[in-house]
Amino acid sequence: MKKLFNSAFIYLVVALISGVLFREFTKILGVTDTTALGKVHGHLLTLGFMMFLIFLVLDKCFKLSEAKNFNLFFILYHIGLVVSVASMLTRGITSVLEINGSLTLSNGLDAAISGISGLGHIILTIGLVLFMFILKKQIENQKA
């Protein structure tokens, strides 16, 4: 349970920092358009902070961390979330720089960012599906 709490706390801090980064970076460059950078904060709060609080409560109720595949879920979820958010951050920063006129993104680099983001989302999805199987098994074990 401690690692779930620590994860939630770390994602909260990173989410708050990303919000400040978005506000200050776009203000300095004078960009007011909507970009992926503005969504990083919300994704970190929701998929990081809030989800780990939910995992923590469910662990308290169903002893999820005692399940055989819990560590695999924990690692996959973190990898998926970090890769997805890093891609979103990269996409957002490059978008702000493109809007500002400081950067021209090549088609190959644009596709690479999208591809890496897709991989992060796939890993995140696998982690969430694994979590649901773990939760189902622990609920069934509790009935017995």
Side-chain angles (χ1 to χ4, degrees):
M1 280 202 319
K2 186 176 180 179
K3 66 183 179 179
L4 292 171
F5 174 81
N6 289 339
S7 295
F9 187 70
I10 289 166
Y11 281 115
L12 172 63
V13 170
V14 174
L16 296 173
I17 291 168
S18 74
V20 172
L21 170 72
F22 162 68
R23 187 187 70 225
E24 295 303 319
F25 188 62
T26 55
K27 187 184 347 175
I28 289 168
L29 294 178
V31 173
T32 57
D33 295 3
T34 302
T35 65
L37 191 58
K39 295 176 178 30
V40 173
H41 171 72
H43 277 72
L44 282 167
L45 281 176
T46 305
L47 293 173
F49 174 63
M50 290 171 42
M51 284 302 293
F52 275 98
L53 288 181
I54 292 168
F55 297 149
L56 180 64
V57 170
L58 290 171
D59 184 38
K60 179 74 173 162
C61 295
F62 301 108
K63 299 181 185 347
L64 299 175
S65 56
E66 294 176 8
K68 182 176 78 170
N69 289 326
F70 181 80
N71 283 334
L72 178 60
F73 147 73
F74 187 78
I75 291 166
L76 284 174
Y77 190 86
H78 274 295
I79 291 170
L81 184 53
V82 168
V83 169
S84 296
V85 168
S87 299
M88 185 180 270
L89 188 64
T90 303
R91 169 71 65 204
I93 290 171
T94 56
S95 295
V96 169
L97 292 174
E98 280 186 310
I99 292 166
N100 178 265
S102 306
L103 175 72
T104 302
L105 200 60
S106 70
N107 289 337
L109 188 53
D110 183 55
I113 295 169
S114 296
I116 293 169
S117 178
L119 289 173
H121 281 81
I122 290 168
I123 296 168
L124 190 59
T125 301
I126 292 168
L128 285 170
V129 170
L130 180 58
F131 174 79
M132 291 305 292
F133 283 122
I134 292 167
L135 180 59
K136 181 179 188 286
K137 185 173 182 171
Q138 292 302 104
I139 289 171
E140 288 171 353
N141 288 345
Q142 198 172 47
K143 287 182 184 178

